[in-house]
Amino acid sequence: MAAITLIEAVNLALAHELKRDNDVVVLGEDVGVNGGVFRATNGLAQKFGKDRVIDTPLAESMIAGLAIGMAAQGMKPVAEMQFEAFMMPAYDMIYNHMARMRLRTRGRITLPMVIRAPWGGGIHAPEHHSDSPEAQCAHIPGLKVVIPSNPSRAYGLLLAAIRDPDPVLFFEPKRVYRIVKHEIEDNGEEYPLGTCFVDREGTDITLVSWGAMMHETLIAADKLKLEGISAEVIDVATISPLDIDTILESVAKTGRLCIVCEAPRSGSWASEIAAQVAENGLFNLLAPIGRVTGYDTTMPYYKLEKQFMPSVDRILEEARRLLEYK
Amino acid sequence: MSTTPVAKFAIERVQYLDPTGKPLTKNLPDFAKDKDLLRSMYRNMVRLRTFDAKAYALQRTGNMGTYPASLGQEAIGIGYGTALKKEDVLVPYYRSTGGLLMHGVSMLEIFLYWGGDERGSDFKVAREDFPIAVPIATQCLHATGVATALKYRKQQRAVVTEIGEGGTSEGDFYEAINVAGIWNLGVVFFINNNQWAISVPSEIQTNCETYAQKGIAAGIESIQVDGNDILAVYDVSKKALEKARAGKGATLIEAVSYRLCDHTTADDASRYRSKDELEKGWDSEPVKRLRAYLESLKAWSDADEEALQKELAAEIEAAVHAYKTFPAPKPEDMFDTLFAELPKHIQQQRAEAIARGAKHVGGHH
């Protein structure tokens, strides 16, 4: 059992499902012979053939629309968008069709499909390669939105996403594609969608995050520990449907909540979590809810990228501010 | 400079009957002598026209929402619909009422859909057909996806999709015909060219002589038919569908017709279209044309017409009755089929809606 990276875990899960289920196909731009620009589909076309791992023409709306038509026939397409911001031409398909088909046909047509996309900033990419659109996707009824933070979760959650009878958007934090390795047994065991992971237990403050930002959040929790502060750390993992109960239980224990995400602050998923905790857990709070996020500006070109994204220091600063309330 | 032509193309137009119903050629296809088939086509065009009139009346009396009629374009949906087999898949757009009726979708279901009730899209017969598409051109991509699945599973079935000529300006249309060409998909694209995209005429929509030639760029067989001549529409549809089922690729058919009605019940075409043009449009309409041809074959009489009208009136009244007495949707219908398994927070909202609905919502259309 070798230690593998997050991108290798994605590849492992895809290979597992391609082997297990003939209805599963992988499609997208460059996913075939080239194995994807990040190599998520590396070797799959060679192993499973070009009918199962399909290089499509370059058109994002087409990729999503095609997958909708295939899924309507009971296939399980896993479509790749090369970068999250390139997904925008497919938004009509995602919003108007993928999310709604089951409801509007009263369950007659269901779409067991996944759209995967590398997601988020921090890789010194060109413009339009570093966005975090999870909140706008989670706002759409009828979709599940999943963001793994590490290799094991990428493997287990992607298996669950492909097997789920409903459409799932699977955002992969590209900044951490290769920085952490986990030993993963290719046993086909999925992780449940719609469940948060409690990564550290603690009593003084709850830190909530997802995707790549989990790594800064865990480092911040370690540093707080050295200061004698016990932080509970929660990886949301499934953005929608949100497991608010785990967060509320944690806040009931710690009394303080700091939410960390790399998207612009206003209307971010941090805002939704804050609203739900305010609605249902206000009287457990000892301090205001803190949000450590990107700024309400366009993701800058990469020279200012680090200024935009939350850092360990910014998380620590906000956590310490919340801890001042007694 | 030396130039060499590297590609040439032409678009052929198919037409069998002139606007008065007289054959334009002595070499009509065999089916043009099949009186039963012709009578059935005629019956279905009149059925669609009668259905449209009733839908309009329901809208005007506040009994149904916005509706797009097919007046003047009946030969298109009934033409390809006659060639459609049960196992084929129809991916309709909002003006595909003719095709839907031909593929077994009930009048009640269509009334329910335009009456604002999703249960209308739960087709009881055409289980694999897509629901009506209102966003423009998106259905073309769904059709290519369905065709990809049929090909993957090596099934000898065809996919038909329909789009207005205005819809061919959308990127999704080009993306769909492009991939259909590359992968040799068994899909037939029908362009319902009724000359007007709401208020925008062809000269604002395209600089092409035909809409059919857009298919040339995708490398798929492309043809134009007189969309008011159901013999021509049926003939090209049948060939295109057989070709699709045989795994021999996609076809783009531009059916040139004319919209004799408003775009929808919410439109007023007199704002942008002259009376003269509309009157002229009536000269080439498809129902009258086929009837004249049938009469020339001694295959239709005034008595036949009277019997047909009576039969259709009864069918439509029964559908209207079923529609008006259909039980009102329940608040939980908003939630129950959103996901295979409803997430907890939506279960809570469902309970909230049921509790509130019991207090406020009455059962009416």
Side-chain angles (χ1 to χ4, degrees):
Chain A
M1 190 164 50
I4 60 172
T5 61
L6 197 156
I7 189 83
E8 289 165 337
V10 167
N11 186 275
L12 196 64
L14 290 172
H16 191 96
E17 287 308 275
L18 281 164
K19 192 175 172 191
R20 196 181 71 89
D21 186 346
N22 264 330
D23 283 333
V24 173
V25 293
V26 167
L27 67 152
E29 167 76 8
D30 296 315
V31 302
V33 177
N34 196 34
V37 292
F38 287 99
R39 305 287 175 261
T41 54
N42 197 28
L44 298 179
Q46 292 80 356
K47 196 168 177 189
F48 296 98
K50 288 179 180 176
D51 290 346
R52 307 286 310 282
V53 184
I54 307 165
D55 266 328
T56 65
L58 201 175
E60 286 78 12
S61 185
M62 187 276 294
I63 293 168
L66 198 75
I68 289 168
M70 294 166 88
Q73 282 290 316
M75 293 185 68
K76 292 169 191 158
V78 185
E80 176 176 300
M81 297 287 156
Q82 209 156 66
F83 284 89
E84 77 294 311
F86 297 178
M87 196 177 79
M88 295 307 148
Y91 211 67
D92 181 18
M93 283 295 165
I94 292 168
Y95 205 143
N96 279 324
H97 300 287
M98 181 173 138
R100 298 179 185 211
M101 190 62 73
R102 185 187 185 98
L103 182 83
R104 59 195 287 262
T105 61
R106 287 293 179 256
R108 178 172 64 85
I109 297 180
T110 63
L111 302 177
M113 60 182 286
V114 177
I115 294 182
R116 297 176 36 244
W119 163 96
I123 62 158
H124 283 215
E127 199 179 5
H128 303 297
H129 289 67
S130 301
D131 289 333
S132 312
E134 70 273 19
Q136 70 198 61
C137 295
H139 184 69
I140 306 172
L143 292 183
K144 294 180 180 175
V145 182
V146 178
I147 309 180
S149 64
N150 64 42
S152 322
R153 281 173 204 163
Y155 177 79
L157 291 170
L158 183 52
L159 289 179
I162 297 171
R163 295 169 190 172
D164 197 278
D166 292 315
V168 180
L169 291 174
F170 194 82
F171 290 132
E172 296 158 11
K174 56 177 110 76
R175 181 163 64 91
V176 296
Y177 259 157
R178 293 187 167 86
I179 66 169
V180 179
K181 287 190 175 188
H182 281 180
E183 292 204 346
I184 295 175
E185 193 188 337
D186 185 18
N187 57 8
E189 273 180 31
E190 58 186 70
Y191 283 153
L193 302 183
T195 305
C196 293
F197 296 89
V198 180
D199 275 331
R200 297 264 199 290
E201 295 204 6
T203 51
D204 298 329
I205 185 168
T206 301
L207 303 179
V208 169
S209 190
W210 53 91
M213 216 35 86
M214 274 305 293
H215 294 261
E216 280 72 16
T217 305
L218 286 165
I219 294 169
D222 290 343
K223 293 204 168 182
L224 288 170
K225 195 175 179 186
L226 296 175
E227 297 172 21
I229 297 156
S230 163
E232 183 141 304
V233 182
I234 295 175
D235 177 4
V236 173
T238 303
I239 303 302
S240 180
L242 177 68
D243 169 18
I244 194 67
D245 292 349
T246 300
I247 297 170
L248 283 169
E249 277 164 31
S250 178
V251 170
K253 189 166 64 170
T254 65
R256 293 179 179 83
L257 174 63
C258 176
I259 311 157
V260 183
C261 78
E262 57 181 270
R265 187 173 308 156
S266 300
S268 66
W269 210 240
S271 308
E272 177 59 30
I273 293 170
Q276 291 199 34
V277 171
E279 272 179 354
N280 300 302
L282 181 68
F283 300 112
N284 291 323
L285 287 169
L286 302 168
I289 299 166
R291 288 179 293 166
V292 183
T293 68
Y295 299 109
D296 284 344
T297 176
T298 305
M299 181 71 177
Y301 297 178
Y302 61 77
K303 286 199 173 170
L304 282 174
E305 191 172 43
K306 277 195 174 160
Q307 300 291 315
F308 176 90
M309 308 245 297
S311 60
V312 173
D313 284 347
R314 275 173 66 188
I315 301 168
L316 288 172
E317 201 178 290
E318 183 64 3
R320 288 183 193 126
R321 185 181 78 83
L322 301 181
L323 285 155
E324 280 170 17
Y325 292 85
K326 296 297 173 193
Chain B
M1 184 173 66
S2 152
T3 64
T4 318
V6 291
K8 284 183 185 176
F9 66 88
I11 295 296
E12 301 292 334
R13 179 183 170 94
V14 180
Q15 184 179 357
Y16 289 121
L17 299 178
D18 77 6
T20 67
K22 286 200 186 74
L24 291 161
T25 164
K26 281 182 182 149
N27 301 315
L28 286 179
D30 285 348
F31 72 79
K33 288 154 211 146
D34 181 343
K35 289 178 188 172
D36 287 343
L37 177 72
L38 299 176
R39 284 163 64 102
S40 154
M41 285 179 182
Y42 179 76
R43 181 189 177 281
N44 283 312
M45 281 203 287
V46 177
R47 183 170 179 249
L48 172 56
R49 188 167 286 192
T50 317
F51 177 83
D52 274 354
K54 182 56 79 177
Y56 246 71
L58 287 172
Q59 192 278 336
R60 291 292 189 247
T61 52
N63 287 295
M64 205 178 76
T66 304
Y67 178 76
S70 301
L71 188 66
Q73 304 136 83
E74 291 89 347
I76 299 173
I78 305 305
Y80 74 69
T82 303
L84 209 54
K85 287 188 181 174
K86 189 173 179 290
E87 61 269 26
D88 296 332
V89 180
L90 175 61
V91 184
Y93 83 134
Y94 54 83
R95 211 185 298 282
S96 294
T97 310
L100 289 168
L101 287 171
M102 292 302 293
H103 215 207
V105 176
S106 72
M107 290 183 176
L108 170 64
E109 285 165 346
I110 299 171
F111 282 144
L112 284 171
Y113 176 85
W114 294 107
D117 191 329
E118 284 93 342
R119 287 174 293 180
S121 293
D122 186 10
F123 304 152
K124 293 290 172 287
V125 173
R127 297 297 289 168
E128 293 178 46
D129 285 4
F130 264 59
I132 292 166
V134 171
I136 309 302
T138 50
Q139 71 278 5
C140 296
L141 285 168
H142 302 155
T144 57
V146 172
T148 305
L150 300 183
K151 189 178 174 186
Y152 180 81
R153 291 179 164 163
K154 300 181 170 58
Q155 297 176 346
Q156 305 235 311
R157 304 162 66 196
V159 184
V160 173
T161 190
E162 197 181 346
I163 185 171
E165 86 283 355
T168 69
S169 297
E170 291 273 6
D172 279 2
F173 168 75
Y174 291 101
E175 294 182 17
I177 59 173
N178 184 50
V179 75
I182 298 165
W183 291 349
N184 208 37
L185 297 175
V187 58
V188 180
F189 298 94
F190 245 98
I191 301 172
N192 179 338
N193 177 5
N194 67 20
Q195 319 280 335
W196 290 91
I198 307 190
S199 67
V200 176
S202 278
E203 56 267 30
I204 291 176
Q205 203 68 244
T206 182
N207 194 35
C208 293
E209 297 94 331
T210 70
Y211 287 91
Q213 75 203 61
K214 294 189 177 196
I216 301 294
I220 64 180
E221 186 188 338
S222 304
I223 194 162
Q224 190 186 70
V225 292
D226 182 335
N228 292 339
D229 175 358
I230 196 165
L231 300 190
V233 176
Y234 173 71
D235 190 38
V236 295
S237 305
K238 195 163 177 290
K239 287 172 183 157
L241 282 161
E242 279 164 4
K243 180 180 125 187
R245 291 182 203 113
K248 291 180 180 163
T251 309
L252 177 68
I253 299 166
E254 176 194 359
V256 182
S257 183
Y258 189 79
R259 195 184 79 209
L260 291 169
C261 49
D262 296 332
H263 167 68
T264 66
T265 48
D267 176 43
D268 173 10
S270 70
R271 289 169 59 87
Y272 51 83
R273 214 164 59 165
S274 74
K275 253 187 193 166
D276 286 354
E277 184 188 310
L278 182 61
E279 271 172 29
K280 222 178 110 223
W282 279 100
D283 293 341
S284 60
E285 66 99 352
V287 175
K288 195 175 67 182
R289 189 182 307 194
L290 181 59
R291 182 168 173 182
Y293 178 63
L294 278 171
E295 283 172 352
S296 75
L297 299 179
K298 308 260 183 281
W300 199 254
S301 66
D302 287 347
D304 288 332
E305 185 71 23
E306 202 179 317
L308 175 63
Q309 295 290 352
K310 221 173 170 179
E311 177 205 328
L312 290 176
E315 185 193 3
I316 286 163
E317 280 317 314
V320 169
H321 179 75
Y323 167 65
K324 285 188 173 173
T325 55
F326 205 72
K330 299 189 177 82
E332 56 265 40
D333 291 350
M334 283 189 282
F335 304 92
D336 285 347
T337 58
L338 182 63
F339 290 105
E341 196 181 329
L342 211 56
K344 195 176 146 197
H345 74 284
I346 306 181
Q347 286 176 29
Q348 287 163 355
Q349 293 175 20
R350 180 181 184 274
E352 193 183 313
I354 291 171
R356 199 162 282 133
K359 273 184 257 170
H360 297 304
V361 182
H364 61 84
H365 282 291

